[in-house]
Amino acid sequence: GLDLVRHGDVFVVQAKANTSSGQSIHGTIFANKMDPELHEKVTELINRFVSRFNDELNNWTGLTTTFSSAIEDAEDIFGPLIPSQTK
């Protein structure tokens, strides 16, 4: 599959992992520069996510609050995250 796309000044980096039941889980990051380690970090995050939430993913009801603790893994891998600014 395609792991990196550049569109103008935006880089789209993707990684995927499979749950124990074979579901594909994709992680995508939009970045303003290409960091050579970015794909590795996205891959590490999606692998941790699937490992941590495998049972929940296999029986997911659609509630995203199920995965609220994933922020800890994201911050461990990428550093402190900036909250989104919604209006």
Side-chain angles (χ1 to χ4, degrees):
L2 199 56
D3 294 333
L4 172 68
V5 174
R6 182 175 182 178
H7 181 69
D9 293 335
V10 177
F11 292 89
V12 182
V13 183
Q14 180 178 327
K16 82 172 188 175
N18 293 321
T19 66
S20 61
S21 66
Q23 293 176 312
S24 291
I25 306 299
H26 298 260
T28 304
I29 298 284
F30 297 87
N32 60 0
K33 65 179 180 176
M34 183 53 198
D35 178 344
E37 297 177 11
L38 192 56
H39 186 262
E40 291 175 25
K41 290 179 178 184
V42 175
T43 300
E44 181 180 354
L45 179 60
I46 199 68
N47 285 332
R48 278 197 204 181
F49 185 86
V50 168
S51 177
R52 180 185 244 189
F53 297 108
N54 186 66
D55 291 339
E56 292 87 344
L57 290 164
N58 287 325
N59 300 298
W60 190 40
T61 62
L63 294 174
T64 58
T65 55
T66 303
F67 311 113
S68 61
S69 62
I71 192 78
E72 298 164 7
D73 290 328
E75 288 188 330
D76 183 47
I77 294 168
F78 292 102
L81 302 178
I82 300 169
S84 63
Q85 302 295 320
T86 57
K87 295 181 181 184

